[in-house]
Amino acid sequence: MRVTLLEEGVLYVHREDVPPFKKGGAVTRNTYFWALKSIADRAPRGKDWEFERSVWIALCRMLLSFSESGYLGFRETVLEFPLGTRIPDELRACSTFEG
């Protein structure tokens, strides 16, 4: 998931990379959607989702857990930072650089 980090400590997940909810869809994917939405500070439909620094540890643990399940793809469960961005310590285990 491509992200942008603001100096104010807000992480934005690009709207194109937010997991979709599909009525009647796969249980794991829908659970992933609701789990991420539940800890997001703002998750408006069709816009970037916002995660403030206070939930970053929970976000990282959640991403690692879903990644380890094997049901979702790598790009769906890893935060992709722009090259040259300093990845915060709280997110390092679940992050990489865009490539």
Side-chain angles (χ1 to χ4, degrees), residues 81-87 97-98:
F81 284 84
L83 285 174
T85 302
R86 185 188 162 284
I87 298 175
F97 292 106
E98 289 181 354

Side-chain angles (χ1 to χ4, degrees), residues 8-56:
E8 300 87 33
V10 179
L11 181 78
Y12 287 90
V13 174
H14 292 249
R15 67 180 170 268
E16 299 88 10
D17 295 345
V18 168
F21 173 79
K22 295 181 182 175
K23 189 173 184 175
V27 173
T28 302
R29 289 187 185 284
N30 285 342
T31 301
Y32 182 54
F33 168 86
W34 288 113
L36 283 176
K37 188 173 178 72
S38 73
I39 65 167
D41 290 285
R42 291 199 59 219
R45 181 179 288 178
K47 297 190 177 179
D48 295 348
W49 285 14
E50 300 175 21
F51 296 86
E52 291 186 12
R53 185 172 223 117
S54 61
V55 299
W56 288 358

Side-chain angles (χ1 to χ4, degrees), residues 67-80:
S67 176
E68 291 170 355
S69 76
Y71 289 105
L72 301 172
F74 178 77
R75 296 196 85 166
E76 295 175 278
T77 57
V78 172
L79 302 175
E80 295 182 52

